[in-house]
Amino acid sequence: MASFDRASPALKEILLRIYSAEKPIEVDHHLYEFGSVEYHIKSSASDPQLTYLSISTPLLTQGVLLSYGLSPYTIQMVREISSDVLEIVEPAKEGYQLTLRLDFSKIPRGKDSLKVVTEVSSIQAVILSSQLKEMLQNVNSWDTSQGMYKPIKLVYHPREPFYVIRQPKKIVAVFPMRFKEYSDVIIATSFFQELMEVGSSEKWAKAPPCSWSPIPPPELRGEPFEDLSTNGGFVSFDISSRHVEGKRLDKTVWSLLNFYAYVKHHVKCTRGFIQRRMRRRLESLVEVLS
């Protein structure tokens, strides 16, 4: 299941080990995550203050915005992670999209050091989330000449694609839902229906409206059959300009990117709760019969 953490735990551990080492250490390490994300971390004992971090990651979309690689907006978001500590190396190491030079001498001592290393370790999340941010920030600027209603396929984690569809004054995010176990389908379907009911209440009027359907929405007609073949239906959220204003933009983007992970977490917890209840009732019945 996808993690809710922005930072890569493994990358964070390696960077902290380099930063906290009492003596300079040599590091030349390749790290792989999710089967398609690769990091290369290189640190030399002869120059212990500098560490080079390269990353290769599938782009969120191969659409128009990113046909030439990382956009200027994404590059700027990377620079803002910790401008004092990291510097973008051009050109990037061969085989990677981005290489960073990390100056550990610029990291403040104390509790702030952990915060800085954690932020640097979130580099992949920054790259991918910035692409969706760029789309959502333009929620009111697209017109028919820019391909309105044409779905854009996004892939945050392998085998879990979702779509964003431009419409007048809003963007619709559509999630095809798949589950391995039939019991998970039942739990998830109930959850989606409750999500629609709660979302339509006055208390949550400011949240993006949610809808669920067992069949694909009309806007996805023509998309690959394998992407539309589901057993859990399709969950849609309507994103308007008020959902991407100020600090809401980051929250909205992260919620969309981790929607699959949240649903799987909910299903897993619910299944565990049901199993514990059934076990306790079975034990109570055994006590009565014994």
Side-chain angles (χ1 to χ4, degrees), residues 253-270:
V253 165
W254 196 242
S255 296
L256 292 176
L257 291 179
N258 284 279
F259 180 69
Y260 278 118
Y262 177 77
V263 171
K264 290 182 179 180
H265 178 72
H266 172 80
V267 169
K268 181 179 179 180
C269 291
T270 302

Side-chain angles (χ1 to χ4, degrees), residues 60 152-164 174-178 220 224 226-228 230 234 260:
L60 193 61
I152 300 176
K153 181 179 177 179
L154 307 180
V155 181
Y156 183 43
H157 290 294
R159 299 179 300 278
E160 293 182 346
F162 67 101
Y163 292 87
V164 293
V174 182
F175 295 83
M177 306 304 302
R178 301 176 182 84
L220 293 186
E226 57 270 21
D227 290 345
L228 304 184
T230 73
F234 298 79
Y260 278 118

Side-chain angles (χ1 to χ4, degrees), residues 30-61:
H30 291 266
L31 174 65
Y32 300 88
E33 291 183 333
F34 303 116
S36 52
V37 180
E38 180 183 357
Y39 300 98
H40 179 232
I41 308 99
K42 186 173 180 61
S43 179
S44 173
S46 61
D47 193 3
Q49 298 302 330
L50 296 181
T51 294
Y52 291 85
L53 170 63
S54 299
I55 178 174
S56 173
T57 178
L59 299 182
L60 193 61
T61 175

Side-chain angles (χ1 to χ4, degrees), residues 36-243:
S36 52
V37 180
E38 180 183 357
Y39 300 98
H40 179 232
I41 308 99
K42 186 173 180 61
S43 179
S44 173
S46 61
D47 193 3
Q49 298 302 330
L50 296 181
T51 294
Y52 291 85
L53 170 63
S54 299
I55 178 174
S56 173
T57 178
L59 299 182
L60 193 61
T61 175
Q62 299 296 333
V64 177
L65 284 176
L66 296 165
S67 60
Y68 53 86
L70 299 182
S71 71
Y73 179 79
T74 297
I75 295 297
Q76 181 59 33
M77 293 293 294
V78 170
R79 288 197 174 103
E80 291 178 1
I81 293 176
S82 184
S83 57
D84 294 336
V85 175
L86 67 81
E87 178 185 354
I88 296 177
V89 177
E90 296 181 351
K93 179 180 174 63
E94 184 176 357
Y96 297 86
Q97 292 152 319
L98 188 69
T99 296
L100 305 177
R101 181 189 295 112
L102 308 178
D103 188 347
F104 283 175
S105 67
K106 300 290 183 63
I107 298 180
R109 293 292 173 179
K111 295 182 179 179
D112 288 341
S113 61
L114 178 60
K115 178 181 178 182
V116 172
V117 172
T118 302
E119 290 174 347
V120 173
S121 301
S122 68
I123 179 65
Q124 193 232 2
V126 171
I127 291 175
L128 298 187
S129 64
S130 66
Q131 298 170 34
L132 184 53
K133 285 181 181 180
E134 201 166 2
M135 296 178 190
L136 298 186
Q137 283 180 326
N138 297 325
V139 63
N140 289 326
S141 64
W142 283 324
D143 56 34
T144 53
S145 66
Q146 294 172 299
M148 186 182 294
Y149 304 127
K150 180 176 176 58
I152 300 176
K153 181 179 177 179
L154 307 180
V155 181
Y156 183 43
H157 290 294
R159 299 179 300 278
E160 293 182 346
F162 67 101
Y163 292 87
V164 293
I165 306 166
R166 309 167 184 175
Q167 293 188 357
K169 304 299 182 181
K170 70 177 182 180
I171 292 177
V172 180
V174 182
F175 295 83
M177 306 304 302
R178 301 176 182 84
F179 302 92
K180 293 182 179 180
E181 304 292 337
Y182 179 69
S183 58
D184 292 350
V185 175
I186 297 175
I187 295 173
T189 300
S190 176
F191 171 65
F192 298 148
Q193 293 171 341
E194 291 179 4
L195 194 61
M196 286 192 297
E197 294 177 5
V198 172
S200 62
S201 64
E202 183 178 350
K203 180 180 179 180
W204 300 104
K206 294 182 180 180
C210 172
S211 60
W212 174 82
S213 172
I215 61 175
E219 293 85 356
L220 293 186
R221 289 173 182 169
E223 294 303 313
F225 175 78
E226 57 270 21
D227 290 345
L228 304 184
S229 179
T230 73
N231 58 1
F234 298 79
V235 180
S236 302
F237 294 94
D238 294 345
I239 310 299
S240 62
S241 57
R242 69 180 181 181
H243 301 127

